[in-house]
Amino acid sequence: NFSNTTSLNAIKTVTVVGGGLMGSGIAQVAAQAGLNVNLIDLKPELLENAQKSIQNNLQRVARKLHKDSPAQIEAFVKDASQRIKVSTNLEDGVQADLVVEAIVEKLDVKQELFNKLDQLCPEHTILASNTSSISINEIGAGIKRKSKFGGLHFFNPVPVMRLLEVIKSEQISEETYQAMMEWGKSVGKTCITCKDTPGFVVNRLLGPYSAEAMRMYERGDATKEDIDIGMKLGAGYPMGPLELSDYTGLDTNKFVLNVLYEKTGNPVFKPIPLLDKLVAEGKLGIKTGEGIYKYKK
Ligand code: NAI
């Protein structure tokens, strides 16, 4: 809802490229906030899955908001889902005020997408990446509109987690930066700003913490349960570090630690044999039924 905003750059139409875990969440929060959304992915069945998951999550939000009114619940879900148009053709998404990229975490694939978007989108369109580990400046190296480009790093699950990291690219303009901050607020997030630095704020600090928890467990300093209880009750964290790693996915965890080690050389991010072993065995956490803990299907 942009009725109170002073920005000339009000963002009304958003395109999200990549309808996986993150992209479907980003599309949902934008639609919930009353924006028109295009959601782009490679195959129709991926878009169908995204729509199903958005529908389920909207139901959950609607039930919380309108507890006693089935009619309002239905209207909320209908309104938000109708705002999301899906397509496998990127060109259907280029007429947008903002494009948020949430595709695979691969530099060359992202660069190719941004180069295309840079050519196809109108001049005013802001382009942003949701990458968690790649340098924003490298992703945008080939584009011309460098002043209209930055990072919008959401957290999983997007509809629930309240934070948005707004990443300043080297040549971002003040106007683009302000528009990104305002947009983040308009979709219900609290925004923090970070330079284009490895891991940004949250993952840079979570990395050493989760790595050290894993090493404590590996050494047998304490049981996994006691490590998690310790941090929940002693530090007030809603989840323990090992539970959180299983939730995020141990493969993702390993990947992020590797990138941080490569980019910073800080030994705190060094490979952890136990983590490598679990990932090699396909024990990736909740999504595979077993990680550090075992889960019932
Ligand atoms: P995902 O694998 O669930 O979804 C990626 C989607 O992008 C897939 O549906 C895939 O078909 C689609 N895709 C791939 N290449 C495409 C292309 N060229 N054009 C259109 N669609 C394409 O991955 P996830 O977890 O949603 O991650 C997406 C991005 O978000 C990555 O950059 C990741 O680093 C970042 N991220 C992930 C977080 C997480 O907790 N999973 C947290 C914050 C950021």
Side-chain angles (χ1 to χ4, degrees), residues 1-283:
N1 179 341
F2 276 87
S3 51
N4 315 328
T5 174
T6 50
S7 168
L8 298 171
N9 262 0
I11 292 165
K12 296 191 181 77
T13 301
V14 179
T15 293
V16 180
V17 188
L21 186 66
M22 297 303 290
S24 57
I26 299 167
Q28 181 191 334
V29 295
Q32 264 171 232
L35 304 175
N36 299 318
V37 181
N38 304 302
L39 182 59
I40 310 285
D41 207 309
L42 298 172
K43 292 187 188 143
E45 56 269 30
L46 296 169
L47 289 165
E48 273 162 40
N49 289 342
Q51 283 175 306
K52 267 182 222 151
S53 119
I54 292 171
Q55 197 78 14
N56 285 338
N57 287 325
L58 280 172
Q59 287 279 356
R60 211 172 303 160
V61 175
R63 280 198 294 266
K64 249 190 214 164
L65 285 174
H66 306 289
K67 273 188 200 87
D68 308 315
S69 167
Q72 274 177 304
I73 292 176
E74 202 192 317
F76 177 90
V77 174
K78 200 170 155 204
D79 176 68
S81 27
Q82 276 176 352
R83 290 179 175 282
I84 304 175
K85 300 209 164 49
V86 301
S87 175
T88 52
N89 183 358
L90 184 64
E91 296 195 15
D92 288 335
V94 298
Q95 294 302 326
D97 304 311
L98 169 69
V99 179
V100 184
E101 168 275 315
I103 68 169
V104 285
E105 190 72 340
K106 293 215 169 94
L107 177 61
D108 54 340
V109 186
K110 287 192 193 285
Q111 283 176 332
E112 193 189 321
L113 173 66
F114 277 97
N115 294 347
K116 253 193 230 164
L117 288 167
D118 191 31
Q119 283 174 7
L120 296 171
C121 292
E123 204 184 319
H124 80 280
T125 307
I126 295 175
L127 306 180
S129 174
N130 180 51
T131 181
S132 39
S133 63
I134 305 177
S135 152
I136 291 293
N137 293 322
E138 278 181 53
I139 292 173
I143 65 170
K144 296 207 180 70
R145 64 181 81 201
K146 291 203 165 58
S147 67
K148 295 197 176 91
F149 169 72
L152 287 170
H153 185 227
F154 285 86
F155 291 80
N156 176 39
V158 178
V160 177
M161 299 300 279
R162 293 167 54 203
L163 186 69
L164 175 62
E165 289 181 326
V166 176
I167 315 304
K168 284 187 152 179
S169 66
E170 247 160 28
Q171 297 180 41
I172 194 170
S173 68
E174 184 59 23
E175 198 186 1
T176 301
Y177 165 68
Q178 290 301 342
M180 285 168 60
M181 294 290 283
E182 267 177 39
W183 180 76
K185 236 197 280 171
S186 79
V187 299
K189 303 302 174 198
T190 297
C191 300
I192 61 171
T193 305
C194 187
K195 287 185 189 163
D196 183 23
T197 173
F200 312 131
V201 172
V202 175
N203 285 340
R204 184 69 169 267
L205 296 178
L206 259 185
Y209 165 64
S210 70
E212 213 46 31
M214 193 83 69
R215 289 191 188 102
M216 287 196 84
Y217 172 52
E218 186 177 47
R219 286 194 300 263
D221 292 347
T223 64
K224 53 186 182 298
E225 290 83 3
D226 283 359
I227 292 169
D228 281 338
I229 292 172
M231 293 313 288
K232 284 189 280 192
L233 302 190
Y237 289 7
M239 285 174 105
L242 301 174
E243 289 174 301
L244 180 60
S245 296
D246 267 1
Y247 179 82
T248 311
L250 299 184
D251 50 341
T252 304
N253 232 273
K254 173 179 150 76
F255 181 80
V256 171
L257 288 174
N258 289 348
V259 172
L260 287 169
Y261 185 48
E262 203 179 286
K263 292 195 172 162
T264 67
N266 186 336
V268 79
F269 299 118
K270 261 192 177 166
I272 303 163
L274 173 65
L275 182 58
D276 290 347
K277 178 171 171 282
L278 289 170
V279 172
E281 290 170 353
K283 295 175 181 162

